[in-house]
Coordinates of all heavy atoms in Angstrom, one line a residue:
M1 N -17.4 1.4 -14.5 CA -16.7 1.2 -13.3 C -16.9 2.5 -12.4 O -16.4 3.5 -12.9 CB -15.2 0.9 -13.5 CG -14.4 0.8 -12.3 SD -12.6 0.6 -12.5 CE -12.5 -0.7 -13.6
A2 N -17.5 2.4 -11.3 CA -17.6 3.5 -10.4 C -16.5 3.5 -9.3 O -16.5 2.5 -8.5 CB -19.0 3.5 -9.8
L3 N -15.7 4.5 -9.3 CA -14.6 4.6 -8.3 C -15.0 5.7 -7.3 O -15.5 6.7 -7.7 CB -13.3 4.9 -8.9 CG -12.7 3.8 -9.9 CD1 -11.4 4.3 -10.4 CD2 -12.6 2.5 -9.2
R4 N -14.6 5.5 -6.0 CA -14.7 6.5 -5.0 C -13.3 6.8 -4.5 O -12.5 6.0 -4.1 CB -15.5 6.0 -3.9 CG -15.6 7.0 -2.7 CD -16.7 6.7 -1.7 NE -16.8 5.3 -1.3 CZ -16.5 4.8 -0.1 NH1 -15.9 5.6 0.8 NH2 -16.6 3.5 0.1
F5 N -12.9 8.1 -4.6 CA -11.6 8.6 -4.1 C -11.6 8.4 -2.6 O -12.5 8.8 -1.8 CB -11.5 10.0 -4.4 CG -10.3 10.7 -3.8 CD1 -9.0 10.5 -4.2 CD2 -10.5 11.5 -2.7 CE1 -7.9 11.1 -3.6 CE2 -9.4 12.2 -2.1 CZ -8.1 11.9 -2.5
L6 N -10.5 7.7 -2.1 CA -10.3 7.5 -0.6 C -9.3 8.4 0.0 O -9.4 8.9 1.1 CB -10.0 6.1 -0.3 CG -11.0 5.0 -0.7 CD1 -10.5 3.6 -0.4 CD2 -12.3 5.3 0.0
G7 N -8.2 8.7 -0.8 CA -7.1 9.5 -0.2 C -5.9 9.7 -1.1 O -5.7 8.9 -2.0
I8 N -5.1 10.7 -0.8 CA -3.9 11.0 -1.5 C -2.8 11.3 -0.5 O -3.1 11.8 0.6 CB -4.1 12.1 -2.5 CG1 -2.9 12.2 -3.5 CG2 -4.4 13.5 -1.9 CD1 -3.2 13.1 -4.7
W9 N -1.6 11.1 -0.9 CA -0.4 11.5 0.0 C -0.6 12.9 0.5 O -0.9 13.8 -0.2 CB 0.8 11.4 -0.9 CG 2.1 11.8 -0.2 CD1 2.6 13.0 -0.1 CD2 3.0 10.9 0.5 NE1 3.8 13.0 0.6 CE2 4.1 11.7 0.9 CE3 3.0 9.5 0.7 CZ2 5.1 11.1 1.6 CZ3 4.1 9.0 1.4 CH2 5.1 9.8 1.9
P10 N -0.6 13.0 1.8 CA -0.8 14.4 2.4 C 0.2 15.4 1.9 O 1.3 15.0 1.7 CB -0.7 14.1 3.9 CG -1.0 12.7 4.1 CD -0.5 12.0 2.9
N11 N -0.2 16.6 1.8 CA 0.6 17.7 1.3 C 1.2 17.4 0.0 O 2.4 17.7 -0.3 CB 1.7 18.1 2.3 CG 1.0 18.5 3.6 OD1 0.1 19.2 3.7 ND2 1.6 17.9 4.7
T12 N 0.5 16.8 -0.9 CA 1.0 16.3 -2.2 C 1.3 17.4 -3.1 O 0.7 18.5 -3.1 CB -0.1 15.4 -2.8 OG1 0.5 14.8 -4.0 CG2 -1.3 16.1 -3.2
P13 N 2.4 17.2 -3.9 CA 2.6 18.2 -5.0 C 1.6 18.0 -6.1 O 0.6 17.2 -5.9 CB 4.0 17.8 -5.5 CG 4.2 16.4 -5.1 CD 3.4 16.2 -3.8
D14 N 1.7 18.6 -7.2 CA 0.7 18.6 -8.3 C 0.6 17.3 -9.0 O -0.4 17.0 -9.7 CB 0.9 19.7 -9.3 CG 0.7 21.1 -8.6 OD1 0.0 21.1 -7.6 OD2 1.3 22.0 -9.1
D15 N 1.7 16.4 -9.0 CA 1.6 15.2 -9.8 C 2.4 14.1 -9.1 O 3.2 14.3 -8.2 CB 2.2 15.5 -11.2 CG 3.6 15.9 -11.2 OD1 4.2 16.2 -10.1 OD2 4.2 16.1 -12.2
G16 N 2.1 12.8 -9.6 CA 2.9 11.7 -9.1 C 2.7 11.3 -7.7 O 3.7 10.8 -7.1
S17 N 1.6 11.5 -7.1 CA 1.5 11.2 -5.7 C 0.7 9.9 -5.4 O -0.3 9.6 -6.1 CB 0.8 12.3 -5.0 OG 1.6 13.5 -5.1
P18 N 1.1 9.1 -4.4 CA 0.3 7.9 -4.1 C -1.2 8.3 -3.8 O -1.4 9.2 -3.1 CB 1.0 7.4 -2.8 CG 2.4 7.8 -3.0 CD 2.3 9.2 -3.6
T19 N -2.1 7.5 -4.4 CA -3.5 7.8 -4.3 C -4.2 6.4 -4.2 O -3.8 5.4 -4.8 CB -4.0 8.5 -5.6 OG1 -3.2 9.7 -5.8 CG2 -5.4 9.0 -5.5
I20 N -5.4 6.4 -3.5 CA -6.2 5.2 -3.3 C -7.6 5.5 -3.7 O -8.2 6.5 -3.3 CB -6.1 4.6 -1.9 CG1 -4.7 4.3 -1.5 CG2 -7.0 3.4 -1.8 CD1 -4.5 3.9 -0.1
W21 N -8.2 4.6 -4.5 CA -9.6 4.7 -4.8 C -10.3 3.3 -4.5 O -9.6 2.3 -4.4 CB -9.9 4.9 -6.3 CG -9.3 6.1 -6.9 CD1 -9.9 7.3 -7.1 CD2 -8.0 6.3 -7.4 NE1 -9.1 8.2 -7.7 CE2 -7.9 7.6 -7.9 CE3 -6.9 5.4 -7.6 CZ2 -6.7 8.1 -8.5 CZ3 -5.7 5.9 -8.1 CH2 -5.6 7.3 -8.6
L22 N -11.6 3.3 -4.3 CA -12.3 2.1 -4.0 C -13.3 1.8 -5.2 O -14.0 2.7 -5.6 CB -13.2 2.2 -2.7 CG -14.1 1.1 -2.4 CD1 -13.3 -0.1 -1.9 CD2 -15.1 1.5 -1.3
E23 N -13.3 0.6 -5.8 CA -14.2 0.3 -6.8 C -15.5 -0.1 -6.1 O -15.5 -1.1 -5.3 CB -13.8 -0.9 -7.7 CG -14.8 -1.2 -8.8 CD -14.3 -2.2 -9.7 OE1 -13.2 -2.8 -9.6 OE2 -15.1 -2.6 -10.6
E24 N -16.5 0.6 -6.2 CA -17.8 0.5 -5.5 C -18.4 -0.9 -5.6 O -18.9 -1.5 -4.7 CB -18.8 1.6 -5.8 CG -18.4 3.0 -5.5 CD -18.5 3.3 -4.1 OE1 -19.1 2.6 -3.3 OE2 -18.1 4.4 -3.7
A25 N -18.4 -1.4 -6.8 CA -19.1 -2.7 -7.1 C -18.5 -3.9 -6.5 O -19.1 -4.8 -6.1 CB -19.3 -2.9 -8.6
T26 N -17.1 -3.9 -6.5 CA -16.4 -5.1 -6.0 C -15.7 -4.9 -4.7 O -15.4 -5.9 -4.0 CB -15.3 -5.4 -7.0 OG1 -14.3 -4.4 -7.0 CG2 -15.8 -5.7 -8.4
G27 N -15.5 -3.7 -4.2 CA -14.8 -3.4 -3.0 C -13.3 -3.5 -3.2 O -12.5 -3.4 -2.3
D28 N -12.8 -3.6 -4.5 CA -11.4 -3.7 -4.8 C -10.8 -2.3 -4.5 O -11.4 -1.3 -4.8 CB -11.1 -4.1 -6.2 CG -11.5 -5.5 -6.5 OD1 -11.7 -6.3 -5.5 OD2 -11.5 -5.9 -7.7
L29 N -9.5 -2.3 -4.1 CA -8.8 -1.0 -4.0 C -8.0 -0.8 -5.2 O -7.4 -1.8 -5.8 CB -7.8 -1.1 -2.8 CG -8.5 -1.1 -1.4 CD1 -7.4 -1.2 -0.3 CD2 -9.4 0.1 -1.2
I30 N -8.0 0.4 -5.8 CA -7.2 0.8 -6.9 C -6.1 1.7 -6.3 O -6.4 2.7 -5.7 CB -8.0 1.5 -8.0 CG1 -9.3 0.7 -8.3 CG2 -7.2 1.8 -9.2 CD1 -9.1 -0.7 -8.8
I31 N -4.9 1.3 -6.5 CA -3.8 2.0 -5.8 C -2.7 2.5 -6.9 O -2.2 1.8 -7.7 CB -3.1 1.1 -4.8 CG1 -4.1 0.7 -3.7 CG2 -1.9 1.8 -4.2 CD1 -3.5 -0.3 -2.7
Q32 N -2.5 3.8 -6.8 CA -1.3 4.4 -7.5 C -0.3 4.7 -6.5 O -0.5 5.3 -5.5 CB -1.8 5.7 -8.2 CG -0.6 6.5 -8.8 CD -1.0 7.9 -9.3 OE1 -2.1 8.0 -9.7 NE2 -0.1 8.8 -9.1
S33 N 0.9 4.1 -6.7 CA 2.0 4.4 -5.7 C 3.3 4.2 -6.4 O 3.4 4.0 -7.6 CB 1.8 3.4 -4.5 OG 2.6 3.8 -3.4
W34 N 4.4 4.2 -5.6 CA 5.7 4.1 -6.1 C 6.0 2.7 -6.5 O 5.6 1.7 -5.7 CB 6.7 4.6 -5.0 CG 6.5 6.0 -4.5 CD1 6.2 7.0 -5.3 CD2 6.5 6.4 -3.2 NE1 6.0 8.1 -4.5 CE2 6.2 7.8 -3.2 CE3 6.7 5.8 -2.0 CZ2 6.2 8.6 -2.1 CZ3 6.7 6.6 -0.8 CH2 6.4 7.9 -0.9
K35 N 6.7 2.5 -7.6 CA 7.1 1.2 -8.0 C 8.2 0.7 -7.0 O 9.0 1.4 -6.6 CB 7.7 1.2 -9.4 CG 6.7 1.4 -10.5 CD 7.5 1.4 -11.8 CE 6.5 1.7 -12.9 NZ 7.2 1.7 -14.2
A36 N 8.0 -0.5 -6.5 CA 9.0 -1.1 -5.6 C 10.3 -1.3 -6.4 O 10.3 -1.8 -7.6 CB 8.6 -2.4 -5.1
D37 N 11.4 -1.0 -5.8 CA 12.7 -1.2 -6.5 C 13.1 -2.7 -6.5 O 12.5 -3.5 -5.8 CB 13.8 -0.3 -5.9 CG 14.1 -0.6 -4.4 OD1 13.7 -1.6 -3.9 OD2 14.7 0.3 -3.8
E38 N 14.1 -3.0 -7.2 CA 14.5 -4.4 -7.3 C 14.9 -5.0 -6.0 O 14.5 -6.2 -5.7 CB 15.7 -4.6 -8.3 CG 16.1 -6.0 -8.5 CD 17.2 -6.1 -9.6 OE1 17.4 -5.2 -10.3 OE2 17.8 -7.2 -9.6
K39 N 15.5 -4.3 -5.1 CA 15.9 -4.7 -3.8 C 14.6 -5.1 -3.0 O 14.6 -6.1 -2.3 CB 16.7 -3.7 -3.0 CG 17.2 -4.0 -1.7 CD 18.0 -2.9 -1.0 CE 18.3 -3.2 0.4 NZ 19.1 -2.1 1.0
T40 N 13.6 -4.3 -3.0 CA 12.4 -4.6 -2.3 C 11.7 -5.8 -2.9 O 11.2 -6.6 -2.1 CB 11.4 -3.3 -2.4 OG1 12.1 -2.2 -1.9 CG2 10.1 -3.6 -1.7
V41 N 11.6 -5.9 -4.2 CA 11.0 -7.1 -4.8 C 11.7 -8.4 -4.4 O 11.1 -9.4 -4.0 CB 10.9 -6.9 -6.4 CG1 10.4 -8.2 -7.0 CG2 10.0 -5.8 -6.8
L42 N 13.0 -8.3 -4.4 CA 13.8 -9.5 -4.1 C 13.6 -9.9 -2.6 O 13.5 -11.0 -2.2 CB 15.3 -9.3 -4.3 CG 15.7 -9.2 -5.8 CD1 17.2 -8.9 -6.0 CD2 15.4 -10.6 -6.5
A43 N 13.5 -8.8 -1.7 CA 13.2 -9.1 -0.3 C 11.9 -9.8 -0.1 O 11.7 -10.7 0.7 CB 13.3 -7.8 0.5
A44 N 10.9 -9.3 -0.9 CA 9.5 -9.9 -0.8 C 9.5 -11.3 -1.3 O 8.9 -12.2 -0.7 CB 8.5 -9.0 -1.6
Q45 N 10.3 -11.6 -2.3 CA 10.4 -12.9 -2.8 C 11.1 -13.8 -1.8 O 10.7 -15.0 -1.7 CB 11.1 -12.9 -4.2 CG 10.3 -12.3 -5.3 CD 11.1 -12.2 -6.6 OE1 12.2 -11.9 -6.6 NE2 10.4 -12.4 -7.7
E46 N 12.1 -13.3 -1.1 CA 12.8 -14.1 -0.1 C 11.8 -14.5 1.0 O 11.8 -15.6 1.5 CB 13.9 -13.4 0.5 CG 15.2 -13.4 -0.4 CD 16.3 -12.7 0.3 OE1 16.4 -12.6 1.5 OE2 17.2 -12.2 -0.5
V47 N 11.0 -13.6 1.4 CA 10.0 -13.8 2.5 C 8.9 -14.8 2.0 O 8.5 -15.7 2.7 CB 9.4 -12.5 3.1 CG1 8.3 -12.8 4.0 CG2 10.5 -11.7 3.7
G48 N 8.5 -14.6 0.8 CA 7.4 -15.4 0.2 C 6.1 -15.1 0.8 O 5.8 -14.1 1.5
S49 N 5.2 -16.1 0.6 CA 3.8 -15.9 1.1 C 3.3 -17.2 1.7 O 3.8 -17.6 2.8 CB 2.8 -15.4 0.0 OG 2.8 -16.3 -1.1
V50 N 2.5 -18.0 1.0 CA 2.1 -19.3 1.5 C 2.9 -20.4 0.9 O 3.4 -20.3 -0.2 CB 0.6 -19.5 1.2 CG1 -0.3 -18.5 1.9 CG2 0.3 -19.5 -0.3
P51 N 3.1 -21.5 1.7 CA 4.0 -22.6 1.2 C 3.5 -23.1 -0.2 O 2.3 -23.2 -0.4 CB 3.8 -23.7 2.2 CG 3.4 -22.9 3.5 CD 2.6 -21.7 3.0
G52 N 4.5 -23.3 -1.1 CA 4.2 -23.8 -2.4 C 3.8 -22.8 -3.4 O 3.7 -23.1 -4.6
H53 N 3.6 -21.5 -3.0 CA 3.2 -20.5 -3.9 C 4.4 -19.8 -4.5 O 5.4 -19.5 -3.8 CB 2.3 -19.4 -3.2 CG 1.6 -18.5 -4.2 ND1 2.2 -17.4 -4.7 CD2 0.3 -18.5 -4.6 CE1 1.4 -16.8 -5.5 NE2 0.2 -17.4 -5.5
S54 N 4.4 -19.6 -5.8 CA 5.5 -19.0 -6.5 C 5.8 -17.6 -6.0 O 4.9 -16.9 -5.7 CB 5.3 -18.9 -8.0 OG 6.3 -18.2 -8.7
T55 N 7.0 -17.2 -6.0 CA 7.4 -15.8 -5.6 C 7.7 -15.0 -6.8 O 8.0 -13.8 -6.6 CB 8.6 -15.8 -4.6 OG1 9.7 -16.4 -5.3 CG2 8.3 -16.5 -3.3
D56 N 7.5 -15.5 -8.0 CA 7.7 -14.7 -9.2 C 6.5 -13.8 -9.3 O 5.4 -14.0 -8.9 CB 7.7 -15.6 -10.4 CG 8.9 -16.6 -10.5 OD1 10.0 -16.2 -9.9 OD2 8.9 -17.6 -11.1
V57 N 6.8 -12.6 -9.9 CA 5.8 -11.6 -10.2 C 5.4 -11.7 -11.6 O 6.1 -11.4 -12.5 CB 6.3 -10.2 -9.9 CG1 5.2 -9.2 -10.1 CG2 6.8 -10.1 -8.4
P58 N 4.1 -12.2 -11.9 CA 3.7 -12.4 -13.3 C 3.6 -11.1 -14.0 O 3.6 -10.0 -13.4 CB 2.3 -13.0 -13.1 CG 2.1 -13.3 -11.7 CD 3.1 -12.6 -10.9
D59 N 3.7 -11.2 -15.3 CA 3.7 -10.0 -16.2 C 2.4 -9.1 -15.9 O 2.5 -7.9 -16.1 CB 3.7 -10.3 -17.7 CG 5.1 -10.9 -18.0 OD1 6.1 -10.6 -17.3 OD2 5.2 -11.6 -19.1
H60 N 1.3 -9.7 -15.5 CA 0.1 -8.9 -15.3 C 0.0 -8.3 -13.9 O -1.0 -7.7 -13.6 CB -1.1 -9.7 -15.7 CG -1.3 -10.9 -14.7 ND1 -0.7 -12.1 -14.8 CD2 -2.1 -11.0 -13.6 CE1 -1.0 -12.9 -13.9 NE2 -1.9 -12.3 -13.1
E61 N 1.0 -8.4 -13.1 CA 1.1 -7.9 -11.7 C 2.3 -7.1 -11.5 O 3.2 -7.1 -12.3 CB 1.1 -9.0 -10.7 CG -0.2 -9.9 -10.7 CD -0.2 -11.0 -9.7 OE1 0.8 -11.1 -8.9 OE2 -1.1 -11.8 -9.6
T62 N 2.3 -6.3 -10.5 CA 3.5 -5.5 -10.1 C 3.6 -5.4 -8.6 O 2.6 -5.6 -7.9 CB 3.5 -4.1 -10.8 OG1 4.8 -3.5 -10.6 CG2 2.4 -3.2 -10.2
V63 N 4.7 -5.1 -8.1 CA 4.9 -4.8 -6.7 C 5.0 -3.3 -6.5 O 5.8 -2.7 -7.2 CB 6.1 -5.6 -6.1 CG1 6.3 -5.2 -4.6 CG2 6.0 -7.1 -6.3
I64 N 4.2 -2.8 -5.5 CA 4.3 -1.3 -5.3 C 4.7 -1.1 -3.8 O 4.6 -2.1 -3.0 CB 3.0 -0.6 -5.5 CG1 1.9 -1.1 -4.6 CG2 2.6 -0.7 -7.0 CD1 0.6 -0.3 -4.6
R65 N 5.2 0.0 -3.5 CA 5.5 0.4 -2.1 C 4.4 1.5 -1.7 O 4.4 2.5 -2.3 CB 6.9 1.0 -2.0 CG 7.2 1.5 -0.6 CD 8.6 2.1 -0.5 NE 9.6 1.1 -0.7 CZ 10.1 0.3 0.3 NH1 9.6 0.4 1.5 NH2 11.0 -0.6 0.1
L66 N 3.6 1.1 -0.8 CA 2.6 2.0 -0.3 C 3.1 2.7 1.0 O 3.4 2.0 2.0 CB 1.3 1.3 0.0 CG 0.1 2.1 0.4 CD1 -0.3 3.0 -0.8 CD2 -1.1 1.3 0.8
P67 N 3.3 4.0 1.0 CA 3.8 4.7 2.1 C 2.9 4.5 3.4 O 1.7 4.4 3.2 CB 3.8 6.2 1.8 CG 3.7 6.2 0.3 CD 3.0 5.0 -0.1
A68 N 3.5 4.4 4.5 CA 2.8 4.1 5.8 C 1.6 5.1 6.0 O 0.6 4.7 6.5 CB 3.7 4.0 6.9
N69 N 1.8 6.3 5.7 CA 0.8 7.3 6.0 C -0.4 7.1 5.1 O -1.5 7.8 5.3 CB 1.3 8.7 6.0 CG 1.7 9.2 4.6 OD1 1.7 8.4 3.6 ND2 2.0 10.5 4.5
M70 N -0.4 6.3 4.1 CA -1.5 6.0 3.2 C -2.4 4.9 3.8 O -3.6 4.7 3.4 CB -1.1 5.6 1.8 CG -0.3 6.6 1.1 SD -1.3 8.1 0.8 CE -2.5 7.5 -0.4
L71 N -2.0 4.2 4.9 CA -2.8 3.2 5.5 C -4.1 3.7 6.1 O -5.1 3.1 6.1 CB -2.0 2.5 6.6 CG -0.8 1.6 6.2 CD1 -0.1 1.1 7.4 CD2 -1.2 0.5 5.2
Q72 N -4.1 5.0 6.4 CA -5.3 5.6 7.0 C -6.4 5.7 6.0 O -7.6 5.8 6.4 CB -4.9 7.1 7.4 CG -4.6 8.0 6.3 CD -4.1 9.3 6.7 OE1 -4.8 10.0 7.5 NE2 -3.0 9.8 6.2
F73 N -6.2 5.5 4.7 CA -7.2 5.6 3.7 C -7.8 4.2 3.3 O -8.7 4.2 2.6 CB -6.7 6.3 2.5 CG -6.2 7.7 2.7 CD1 -4.9 8.0 2.5 CD2 -7.1 8.7 3.2 CE1 -4.4 9.3 2.8 CE2 -6.6 10.0 3.5 CZ -5.3 10.3 3.3
I74 N -7.2 3.2 3.9 CA -7.7 1.8 3.5 C -8.9 1.4 4.4 O -8.7 1.4 5.7 CB -6.6 0.8 3.6 CG1 -5.5 1.1 2.6 CG2 -7.1 -0.6 3.4 CD1 -4.3 0.2 2.6
P75 N -10.0 1.2 3.9 CA -11.2 0.8 4.7 C -11.0 -0.5 5.4 O -10.4 -1.4 4.9 CB -12.3 0.7 3.7 CG -11.8 1.0 2.3 CD -10.3 1.1 2.4
R76 N -11.5 -0.5 6.7 CA -11.4 -1.7 7.5 C -12.7 -1.9 8.3 O -13.4 -0.9 8.6 CB -10.3 -1.6 8.5 CG -8.9 -1.6 8.0 CD -7.9 -1.3 9.1 NE -6.7 -0.8 8.6 CZ -6.4 0.4 8.2 NH1 -7.3 1.3 8.2 NH2 -5.2 0.7 7.8
P77 N -13.1 -3.1 8.6 CA -14.3 -3.3 9.5 C -14.0 -2.6 10.8 O -12.8 -2.5 11.3 CB -14.4 -4.8 9.7 CG -13.6 -5.4 8.5 CD -12.5 -4.4 8.2
A78 N -15.0 -2.2 11.5 CA -14.9 -1.4 12.8 C -14.1 -2.2 13.8 O -13.4 -1.6 14.6 CB -16.2 -1.0 13.3
D79 N -14.2 -3.5 13.8 CA -13.5 -4.3 14.9 C -12.2 -4.9 14.4 O -11.6 -5.6 15.2 CB -14.4 -5.4 15.3 CG -14.8 -6.4 14.2 OD1 -14.5 -6.1 13.0 OD2 -15.4 -7.4 14.5
A80 N -11.7 -4.5 13.3 CA -10.4 -5.0 12.8 C -9.2 -4.3 13.5 O -9.3 -3.1 13.9 CB -10.3 -4.8 11.3
P81 N -8.1 -5.0 13.6 CA -6.9 -4.4 14.2 C -6.4 -3.3 13.3 O -6.7 -3.3 12.1 CB -5.8 -5.5 14.2 CG -6.6 -6.8 14.0 CD -7.9 -6.4 13.3
V82 N -5.8 -2.3 13.9 CA -5.3 -1.1 13.1 C -3.8 -1.3 12.9 O -3.1 -1.6 13.8 CB -5.6 0.2 13.9 CG1 -5.0 1.4 13.2 CG2 -7.1 0.4 14.2
L83 N -3.4 -1.1 11.6 CA -2.0 -1.1 11.3 C -1.4 0.3 11.6 O -2.0 1.3 11.3 CB -1.8 -1.4 9.8 CG -2.1 -2.8 9.3 CD1 -1.9 -2.9 7.8 CD2 -1.1 -3.8 10.0
S84 N -0.3 0.3 12.2 CA 0.4 1.5 12.5 C 1.8 1.4 12.3 O 2.3 0.3 12.1 CB 0.1 2.0 14.0 OG 0.7 1.0 14.8
S85 N 2.6 2.5 12.2 CA 4.0 2.4 12.0 C 4.7 3.4 12.9 O 4.2 4.5 13.2 CB 4.4 2.6 10.6 OG 4.3 4.0 10.3
P86 N 5.9 3.0 13.4 CA 6.6 4.0 14.2 C 7.1 5.1 13.3 O 7.1 5.0 12.1 CB 7.8 3.2 14.7 CG 7.9 2.0 13.9 CD 6.5 1.8 13.3
S87 N 7.4 6.2 13.9 CA 7.9 7.4 13.1 C 9.2 7.0 12.4 O 10.0 6.3 12.9 CB 8.0 8.6 13.9 OG 8.9 8.4 14.9
D88 N 9.4 7.5 11.2 CA 10.5 7.3 10.4 C 11.6 8.3 10.8 O 11.5 9.5 10.4 CB 10.1 7.4 8.9 CG 11.3 7.2 8.0 OD1 12.4 6.7 8.4 OD2 11.1 7.4 6.8
T89 N 12.6 7.9 11.6 CA 13.6 8.9 12.0 C 14.9 8.8 11.3 O 15.7 9.7 11.3 CB 13.9 8.6 13.5 OG1 14.3 7.3 13.7 CG2 12.7 8.9 14.4
D90 N 15.2 7.7 10.6 CA 16.5 7.6 9.9 C 16.4 7.5 8.4 O 17.3 7.1 7.7 CB 17.2 6.4 10.5 CG 16.6 5.0 10.2 OD1 15.5 5.0 9.6 OD2 17.1 4.0 10.5
G91 N 15.2 7.7 7.8 CA 15.0 7.7 6.4 C 14.7 6.4 5.8 O 14.4 6.2 4.6
T92 N 14.6 5.3 6.6 CA 14.3 4.0 6.1 C 12.8 3.8 6.2 O 12.2 4.3 7.1 CB 15.0 2.9 6.9 OG1 14.7 3.0 8.3 CG2 16.5 3.0 6.7
P93 N 12.2 2.9 5.4 CA 10.8 2.7 5.5 C 10.5 2.0 6.9 O 11.2 1.2 7.3 CB 10.5 1.7 4.4 CG 11.6 1.9 3.4 CD 12.8 2.3 4.3
P94 N 9.4 2.5 7.5 CA 9.1 1.9 8.8 C 8.5 0.5 8.7 O 8.0 0.1 7.7 CB 8.0 2.9 9.3 CG 7.4 3.4 8.1 CD 8.5 3.5 7.1
A95 N 8.7 -0.2 9.8 CA 8.1 -1.6 10.0 C 6.6 -1.4 10.5 O 6.4 -0.4 11.2 CB 8.9 -2.4 10.9
Y96 N 5.8 -2.3 10.1 CA 4.4 -2.2 10.5 C 4.1 -3.0 11.8 O 4.7 -4.1 11.9 CB 3.5 -2.6 9.4 CG 3.6 -1.8 8.2 CD1 4.3 -2.2 7.1 CD2 3.2 -0.4 8.2 CE1 4.5 -1.4 6.0 CE2 3.4 0.4 7.1 CZ 4.0 -0.1 6.0 OH 4.2 0.7 4.9
T97 N 3.3 -2.6 12.6 CA 2.9 -3.3 13.8 C 1.4 -3.4 13.9 O 0.7 -2.5 13.4 CB 3.4 -2.7 15.1 OG1 3.0 -1.3 15.1 CG2 4.9 -2.7 15.1
I98 N 0.8 -4.4 14.5 CA -0.6 -4.5 14.7 C -0.9 -3.9 16.0 O -0.3 -4.2 17.0 CB -1.1 -6.0 14.7 CG1 -0.7 -6.6 13.3 CG2 -2.5 -6.1 15.0 CD1 -1.5 -6.1 12.2
G99 N -1.9 -3.0 16.0 CA -2.3 -2.3 17.2 C -3.8 -2.6 17.5 O -4.5 -3.2 16.7
Q100 N -4.3 -2.0 18.5 CA -5.7 -2.1 18.9 C -6.5 -1.1 18.0 O -6.0 -0.1 17.6 CB -6.0 -1.9 20.4 CG -5.3 -2.9 21.2 CD -5.7 -4.3 20.9 OE1 -6.9 -4.6 20.8 NE2 -4.8 -5.2 20.8
G101 N -7.8 -1.4 17.8 CA -8.6 -0.5 17.1 C -8.6 0.9 17.6 O -8.4 1.2 18.8
Q102 N -8.9 1.9 16.7 CA -8.9 3.3 17.2 C -10.2 3.7 17.9 O -11.2 3.2 17.7 CB -8.8 4.2 15.9 CG -7.4 4.0 15.3 CD -7.3 4.9 14.0 OE1 -8.1 5.7 13.7 NE2 -6.2 4.6 13.3

């Protein structure tokens, strides 16, 4: 498996920092990040995804929280909308908005 390093949490300490790699052969992203807490998992389950799809998290999957500043390392087609987030002023995770390409 050939991985390419894409990015790490800016100004990272020596260990435990969110990191993203790209698997060259498949285009899959490999992500190390913070485990989502129970409140976050429950909120995601409440929102759901597509109609009829289970909101349970299978044993072979997990829910992670990817910090907003890590979005810059996720590859996108040149004409794709850019995800951005407002600055975090009160300590809560920011909401994401769709913006125009950079």
Side-chain angles (χ1 to χ4, degrees):
M1 172 186 312
L3 297 182
R4 178 168 38 111
F5 170 76
L6 296 179
I8 191 167
W9 178 272
N11 302 316
T12 186
D14 293 336
D15 60 354
S17 299
T19 308
I20 301 177
W21 300 267
L22 175 74
E23 183 178 358
E24 297 282 353
T26 64
D28 291 348
L29 293 176
I30 310 302
I31 299 174
Q32 171 187 326
S33 193
W34 303 316
K35 290 181 181 178
D37 60 16
E38 186 175 342
K39 181 179 175 182
T40 302
V41 172
L42 290 174
Q45 289 174 322
E46 281 183 26
V47 171
S49 57
V50 296
H53 194 278
S54 172
T55 59
D56 294 334
V57 180
D59 289 341
H60 66 279
E61 295 180 3
T62 192
V63 176
I64 65 168
R65 177 181 292 275
L66 187 65
N69 68 353
M70 296 298 290
L71 294 174
Q72 64 185 311
F73 302 116
I74 296 177
R76 293 175 200 78
D79 60 349
V82 175
L83 288 175
S84 62
S85 74
S87 59
D88 179 11
T89 56
D90 65 358
T92 59
Y96 299 108
T97 56
I98 299 292
Q100 297 302 314
Q102 295 179 7

